[in-house]
Each structure stands twice: as C-alpha cells, then as structure tokens.
Amino acid sequence: MNDIILDMDNMPKHLAIIMDGNGRWAKKQGKIRTFGHKFGVDTVKNIIKEVNALGIKYLTLYAFSTENWKRPKDEVNTLMNLVIEYLKKENDYLMAENVRMDFIGDITKLPKKTYENVKYTRELTRNNTGLNVNIALNYGGRDEIVMACKEIAKLVNADEIDIEDITEDSFSTKIYTNESPNVDLLIRTGGDIRISNFLLWQIAYSEFYFTDVLWPDFDRNELHKAIYSFQHKERRFGGLV
Ligand code: FPP
C-alpha cells in the first residue's frame, strides 16, 4: 500500500506512540540490543518530521517507562546517553521548525546530565507554537495518576478547593499532559497488544493501532497506514451516531 490518500482535514489532534521492538530488530541482525535503540532514534527524528508535515498538533512518544530501570545497567545508560545526543543534535531543528518539546514523567529522577539536557530543550522551545512533542521519560500512567491525586489532596488540605470541586476536567489540569488534549490515536509497534502503563487517563476514548512492524522499521508509509485506519473508524465517544 504505497499510495495512501489521507484526509488532511481529519488528522488526529493528538497522536501517541509506544515505540517497541528495537531489541528484536537488533537481534534479527545478530547485533546487541542497543544497536536497535540507535536506529530507533533515527525513526524518532523521521516520524517527528512527518507528523509536523502532516500538521498534527500533538505527538507523545514513550521513550522510557518507570519500569525500564529494571533493564541491564548498560542498556539504561545507552538510552539515557542517546537522549542527550538526540537533544543536542535536534535543538536547531526544533527551533527552525517552531516545535515545542516537553517531557512527561518524573524527570527529576533521570541521571543529572540527561535531566540538564531535557530542561535545556524544554526551556529553549517553550515559546514555540507549532507541533508539540511530549517525550515520556521515567513515565508511568499509574504514577502520573497518583501524582495528580497528591496535588489535589494538597489543595484540599490547604482549603484551597472543596472535594466537590474535583471533576474530570480539574483532574486533567494536574496530569503531566495538562497542556495537550486527550489522545485520538495510539499506535504501538512491535507486535504486542498491550498498553504498558502508558497514558492511562488520556486514552479513555482513543482509537488504537497495533502493528507487527518493529520501531526501527516504522516509516512514513507505516505512519500513513495507521492514520488511514484512524480516519476510517467511526468515533462515537460512548454515544450513538
Ligand atoms: C522499546 O523497544 C523501546 C524502548 C524501551 C526505548 C525507546 C527509545 C528510543 C526509540 C530511543 C530514545 C528516544 C529518544 C526520544 C531519543 P524494546 O527495547 O523493548 O524492544 P524489544 O521489545 O524488541 O525488546
């Protein structure tokens, strides 16, 4: 399927991606897992470019979960260093293309150098008004919900709000993605059909697209297939059409 025609007026506003399969991609070529992560970064760059070209306004990428610390130390270090390398190289592109890059998750627990680069890019791109990219680093959906509950509990304790004031909308202002709308389309590469603690609150009415394609092989055409599938679904949000 090479000539996919997309409806430019019906793009998802917020696209989220679970980038899975780097390790298996490397193994298939007889290489170590980190080799796959390096190529995974190239895919990140290409997909951000294409999402920007399609005029999608919000993109959230799952780069490192709260559970990923359980991986071998070498792999964790490689991933943290790849983030630094990526940010250093991409800052110019982000500025030239007016892309705002933010980071979701508990970034204060990242290694110092990674944390500093993350903060730098966030500050640098803060006032950009084009595509918004959220990179999830040390992110967990449950962790995010607990964090938001604590924030709200503090406000109740301080008598700043009443329990009755807690609503879905007010809760949404306390989560990491409080500046992004709900997710319209969630893509997961790598063949597994699960959510892995990603954006649990934000995907309540998302459409899902699962593909066997491994992340380093996920290209413009694969992205178009996912969006095409989204554009041919009937979204009812619990109502009737
Ligand atoms: C999943 O593949 C991938 C990850 C846990 C890391 C994703 C990170 C990148 C693509 C690179 C760094 C990101 C940025 C934004 C610079 P896996 O290792 O679980 O693969 P497997 O399921 O085949 O083992």
Side-chain angles (χ1 to χ4, degrees):
M1 213 172 26
N2 274 323
D3 48 355
I4 300 162
I5 311 275
L6 294 178
D7 176 355
M8 296 304 281
D9 295 326
N10 184 22
M11 287 292 156
K13 256 198 208 80
H14 187 172
L15 167 66
I17 310 183
I18 302 176
M19 311 180 286
D20 197 15
N22 293 346
R24 276 164 288 160
W25 185 87
K27 200 169 167 207
K28 263 177 41 184
Q29 353 223 341
K31 300 276 185 3
I32 54 168
R33 297 175 50 78
T34 48
F35 183 77
H37 294 317
K38 286 186 188 132
F39 276 82
V41 176
D42 289 340
T43 305
V44 168
K45 288 185 199 165
N46 296 337
I47 292 302
I48 289 179
K49 285 198 180 112
E50 185 56 21
V51 164
N52 196 23
L54 289 172
I56 292 170
K57 207 62 186 123
Y58 297 87
L59 171 68
T60 302
L61 299 173
Y62 206 4
F64 195 88
S65 74
T66 45
E67 289 74 35
N68 285 151
W69 299 107
K70 292 184 221 153
R71 294 189 175 204
K73 208 167 167 243
D74 267 7
E75 184 170 342
V76 171
N77 287 342
T78 300
L79 282 167
M80 292 299 150
N81 289 331
L82 280 176
V83 171
I84 297 173
E85 243 178 71
Y86 164 79
L87 295 176
K88 282 188 171 161
K89 283 191 192 145
E90 289 306 287
N91 283 329
D92 286 349
Y93 165 81
L94 300 176
M95 292 311 287
E97 288 292 320
N98 196 21
V99 177
R100 180 177 183 202
M101 186 167 274
D102 204 351
F103 299 86
I104 61 168
D106 186 359
I107 55 169
T108 63
K109 304 271 164 38
L110 297 174
K112 192 162 173 278
K113 261 201 149 166
T114 310
Y115 178 55
E116 278 166 5
N117 278 275
V118 156
K119 273 201 312 186
Y120 179 79
T121 297
R122 186 170 61 187
E123 279 312 308
L124 180 73
T125 64
R126 183 179 288 283
N127 295 319
N128 288 350
T129 54
L131 167 66
N132 293 275
V133 179
N134 301 310
I135 306 282
L137 282 174
N138 191 27
Y139 173 90
R142 288 183 167 187
D143 187 57
E144 176 179 42
I145 290 170
V146 170
M147 180 276 296
C149 289
K150 285 182 180 164
E151 289 300 312
I152 291 169
K154 278 187 213 158
L155 295 176
V156 173
N157 258 349
D159 273 338
E160 284 178 36
I161 58 165
D162 287 334
I163 287 186
E164 300 313 316
D165 296 334
I166 305 171
T167 61
E168 290 188 15
D169 283 344
S170 74
F171 188 86
S172 297
T173 66
K174 300 295 172 207
I175 55 175
Y176 291 124
T177 56
N178 55 8
E179 292 181 37
S180 308
N182 283 321
V183 173
D184 298 301
L185 171 62
L186 175 76
I187 298 174
R188 181 177 185 133
T189 63
D192 287 322
I193 301 184
R194 54 176 174 250
I195 297 303
S196 302
N197 203 12
F198 192 42
L199 303 176
L200 299 178
W201 176 267
Q202 300 87 334
I203 58 170
Y205 285 104
S206 301
E207 299 298 334
F208 295 105
Y209 182 85
F210 296 97
T211 172
D212 288 340
V213 173
L214 304 173
W215 179 247
D217 289 330
F218 190 80
D219 58 12
R220 179 176 182 271
N221 194 48
E222 295 299 333
L223 176 68
H224 285 207
K225 281 191 213 169
I227 295 173
Y228 183 88
S229 130
F230 166 82
Q231 293 184 336
H232 290 81
K233 280 179 179 166
E234 191 182 85
R235 302 187 79 197
R236 293 190 295 277
F237 299 96
L240 302 173
V241 169

